[in-house]
């Protein structure tokens, strides 16, 4: 944090893992109505997926964070029974999943790749499903 706010050099001793928040996903009784409400009252530029927030990373590259209400009966958050799922942007998903497995972290399913990035899933100690995303932001531009 110090380097970001004050420009001080910080030595990198650990491999970079999470690089930002990729998305906030949560269950909703009526996702379409909720998206419309956020559009009307808070000005979110919503579409069928929610709202994409664009920002620049530390190197000045375009990056995004997704806000998305899901149907209340979605199984996408399983095996978690929670009402939400976090999505974190990561660097080098394949090697991160290897490291996490070696550290005893529960990996869910197999990684999947799309033109907009690679995805993998883990569960934290409280049963929260976490989606890890190695993005290809340029696909959205």
């Amino acid at each position: 944090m110090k380097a970001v706010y004050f420009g001080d050099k910080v030595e990198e001793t650990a491999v970079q893992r999470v690089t930002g928040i990729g998305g906030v996903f949560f269950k909703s009784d009526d996702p379409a109505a909720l998206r419309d409400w956020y559009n009307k009252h808070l000005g979110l530029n919503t579409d069928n997926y929610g709202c994409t927030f664009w920002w620049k990373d530390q190197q000045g590259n375009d990056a995004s964070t997704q806000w998305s209400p899901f149907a209340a009966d979605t199984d996408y958050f399983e095996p978690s029974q929670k009402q939400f799922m976090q999505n974190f942007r990561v660097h080098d998903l394949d090697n991160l999943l290897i490291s996490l497995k070696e550290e005893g972290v529960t990996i869910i399913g197999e990684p999947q790749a799309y033109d907009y990035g690679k995805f993998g899933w883990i569960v934290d100690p409280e049963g929260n499903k976490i989606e890890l995303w190695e993005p290809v932001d340029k696909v959205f531009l």
Side-chain angles (χ1 to χ4, degrees), residues 51-101:
C51 180
T52 304
F53 294 91
W54 289 96
W55 47 278
K56 300 278 187 188
D57 67 13
Q58 289 180 327
Q59 291 75 39
N61 300 310
D62 289 317
S64 66
T65 298
Q66 184 68 32
W67 172 90
S68 295
F70 279 68
D73 62 352
T74 186
D75 61 1
Y76 194 66
F77 300 176
E78 290 181 5
S80 176
Q81 297 302 306
K82 305 290 176 106
Q83 297 296 311
F84 65 92
M85 182 178 69
Q86 302 172 85
N87 171 295
F88 289 110
R89 298 169 61 91
V90 300
H91 175 76
D92 193 0
L93 177 67
D94 296 332
N95 283 319
L96 176 55
L97 289 172
I98 291 168
S99 296
L100 292 171
K101 186 174 183 177

Side-chain angles (χ1 to χ4, degrees), residues 111-124:
Q112 295 180 13
Y114 302 92
D115 60 341
Y116 49 91
K118 296 181 192 175
F119 293 85
W121 299 269
I122 62 174
V123 177
D124 75 13

